[in-house]
């Protein structure tokens, strides 16, 4: 009996993962990850790296980040403290939903995760102070393959729910999409 319910987002492979919590008088147990159960969700590689971020201020935006092939990675993003508005953006070359994005609220209360396939950019906005996220990555960090797009690019039209309170200098300097950008070729 799977502990996960997968919800399609309308963008192929980008899925919301609802977790079943097993509660009792002490509290609950929740399964964060299961290779066997999430294979059907498209997580078909070992976990290569696990990251933990803390974002102090409500309104902060991190992203939009991606790794270029052959370092493209899947991410399973879960919020363990506070709440975030989490965005997956399809950058797959030739995808019928190229440059389309979906957002979902992840929170410590709802325990859900966003499963982000290879070829996507990821970003989020903190909806509360003191947000902590746990990231499972299917590929190791490869600084030389890192890419970023502007979270405020009008061509993407991401309607962040709050005024953007803070971004890193690097995130503020990410470019917008250009006509020359045809996406990430996952076969390269
Ligand atoms: C992603 C990553 C970064 N780093 C180093 C690179 C920088 O020296 C420092 C902070 O990196 P950055 O500002 O890119 O981190 P975030 O902006 O918090 O990126 C995070 O938020 C966005 C929304 C994401 O999708 C990233 O995957 C996630 O890591 O950690 C590492 O050492 N390992 C890593 O896996």
């Amino acid at each position: 009996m799977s502990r996960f319910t997968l919800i399609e987002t309308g963008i192929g492979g980008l899925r919301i993962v609802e977790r079943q919590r097993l509660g009792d008088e002490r509290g609950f147990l929740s399964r964060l990850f299961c290779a066997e159960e999430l294979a059907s969700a498209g997580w078909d590689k070992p976990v290569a790296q696990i990251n933990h971020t803390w974002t102090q201020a409500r309104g902060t935006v991190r992203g939009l980040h991606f790794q270029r092939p052959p370092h493209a990675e899947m991410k399973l993003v879960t919020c363990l403290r506070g709440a975030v508005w989490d965005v997956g953006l399809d950058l797959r070359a030739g995808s019928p939903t190229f440059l389309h994005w979906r957002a979902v609220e992840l929170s410590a209360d709802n325990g859900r995760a966003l499963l982000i396939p290879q070829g996507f950019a990821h970003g989020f906005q903190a909806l509360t102070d003191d947000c902590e996220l746990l990231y499972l990555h299917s590929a190791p960090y490869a600084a030389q393959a890192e890419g970023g797009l502007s979270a405020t690019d009008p061509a993407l039209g991401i309607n962040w729910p709050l005024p953007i309170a803070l971004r890193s200098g690097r995130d503020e300097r990410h470019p917008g999409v250009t006509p020359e950008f045809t996406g990430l070729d996952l076969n390269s």
Side-chain angles (χ1 to χ4, degrees):
M1 170 67 178
S2 176
R3 301 282 179 81
F4 304 104
T5 301
L6 303 174
I7 301 171
E8 299 297 334
T9 60
I11 295 180
L14 183 68
R15 294 184 173 98
I16 298 165
V17 180
E18 296 282 1
R19 294 187 172 98
Q20 179 190 6
R21 286 176 169 176
L22 302 182
D24 63 27
E25 62 279 7
R26 301 164 301 169
F28 69 78
L29 178 143
S30 172
R31 183 169 292 170
L32 272 182
F33 178 81
C34 174
E36 187 177 330
E37 292 180 37
L38 290 177
S40 62
W43 194 287
D44 55 5
K45 293 175 174 49
V47 174
Q49 210 159 70
I50 299 176
N51 286 340
H52 169 216
T53 63
W54 167 60
T55 300
Q56 185 173 9
R58 179 175 183 268
T60 302
V61 167
R62 293 182 186 250
L64 302 163
H65 299 165
F66 58 91
Q67 290 196 165
R68 293 183 180 81
H71 304 280
E73 56 182 336
M74 291 184 287
K75 292 177 186 173
L76 189 72
V77 183
T78 301
C79 179
L80 296 180
R81 186 176 171 202
V84 301
W85 197 70
D86 206 56
V87 177
L89 168 68
D90 188 355
L91 298 179
R92 296 169 297 190
S95 169
T97 51
F98 179 57
L99 296 185
H100 294 200
W101 57 272
R102 294 290 186 279
V104 61
E105 183 169 331
L106 306 180
S107 69
D109 291 343
N110 67 31
R112 67 169 65 119
L114 187 60
L115 193 156
I116 304 167
Q118 292 173 305
F120 278 65
H122 173 246
F124 71 87
Q125 182 169 40
L127 300 176
T128 63
D129 290 339
D130 289 325
C131 294
E132 295 193 52
L133 293 193
L134 191 76
Y135 293 76
L136 274 58
H137 298 257
S138 68
Y141 177 57
Q144 75 282 10
E146 263 200 311
L149 287 172
S150 170
T152 56
D153 181 5
L156 297 175
I158 299 176
N159 54 330
W160 301 103
L162 300 172
I164 296 179
L166 178 64
R167 289 190 286 169
S168 68
R170 195 159 66 113
D171 281 352
E172 287 182 331
R173 292 189 294 272
H174 287 318
V177 291
T178 62
E180 297 70 41
F181 181 67
T182 55
L184 304 176
D185 178 1
L186 296 178
N187 301 313
S188 62

